[in-house]
């Protein structure tokens, strides 16, 4: 939760202070609209090598109970580590760059094949729970930035030694 105090016209509630962890503070946080500025994102969240996640909306920051939202930045010519997001559904909106989302699926011959989803600004991606994947930014010059929403209160990230097919 932001500790910034501003006037009403700047978008922040003037009496909103950082929750001290007691039940009343948490209850009060759930009765107010929260404004998180672009320059007030929190980098102290679950991470995967090759990318940086920044929390905007989370249980710890605003008292959300069933969702997490933030940004991910992937540097030019960089791939993230292979990972999944546990039982969290993940929705991704591409803000800038041309990130690629890579996962494996079972091929007709019983083997596996790599699937590579090439995206651009304005595109959306949905990652179901437990699906191993990675993000790549093949552009040698431009950072890729995406907005992420998850169906869990905090950013769940399980880093993996490699990709594998998730079977039903």
């Amino acid at each position: 939760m932001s500790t910034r105090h501003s006037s009403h016209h700047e978008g922040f509630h003037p009496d909103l202070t950082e929750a001290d962890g007691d039940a009343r503070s948490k209850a009060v946080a759930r009765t107010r609209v929260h404004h998180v500025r672009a320059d007030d994102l929190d980098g102290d969240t679950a991470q995967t090598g090759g990318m940086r996640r920044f929390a905007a909306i989370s249980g710890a920051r605003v008292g959300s109970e069933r969702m997490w939202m933030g940004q991910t930045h992937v540097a030019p010519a960089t791939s993230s580590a292979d990972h999944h997001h546990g039982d969290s559904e993940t929705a991704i909106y591409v803000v800038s760059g041309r990130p690629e989302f890579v996962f494996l699926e079972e091929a007709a011959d019983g083997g596996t094949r790599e699937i590579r989803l090439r995206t651009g600004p304005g595109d959306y991606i949905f990652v179901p729970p437990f699906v191993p994947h990675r993000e790549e930014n093949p552009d040698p010059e431009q950072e890729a930035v995406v907005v992420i929403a998850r169906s869990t209160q905090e950013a769940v990230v399980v880093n993996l030694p490699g990709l594998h097919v998730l079977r039903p």
Side-chain angles (χ1 to χ4, degrees), residues 22-109:
D22 67 15
R24 184 180 184 296
S25 293
K26 289 179 182 177
V28 168
R30 301 230 4 114
T31 66
R32 299 181 174 180
V33 174
H34 298 264
H35 177 183
V36 179
R37 292 186 181 277
D39 64 352
D40 195 26
L41 301 180
D42 183 4
D44 187 22
T45 186
Q47 300 293 334
T48 299
M51 58 193 332
R52 276 296 286 152
R53 288 189 186 89
F54 299 93
I57 308 300
S58 69
R61 300 201 80 217
V62 301
S64 64
E65 293 181 352
R66 292 181 294 276
M67 69 178 299
W68 180 94
M69 190 171 191
Q71 281 185 7
T72 298
H73 297 242
V74 182
T78 301
S79 294
S80 75
D82 299 327
H83 63 279
H84 68 73
H85 302 291
D87 64 357
S88 178
E89 291 183 322
T90 301
I92 301 167
Y93 174 76
V94 179
V95 175
S96 63
R98 302 192 85 55
E100 297 182 4
F101 297 83
V102 182
F103 65 100
L104 298 179
E105 72 175 15
E106 196 164 351
D109 64 4

Side-chain angles (χ1 to χ4, degrees), residues 75-78 98 137-143:
T78 301
R98 302 192 85 55
N137 180 5
D139 190 302
E141 297 177 10
Q142 183 182 9
E143 175 180 67

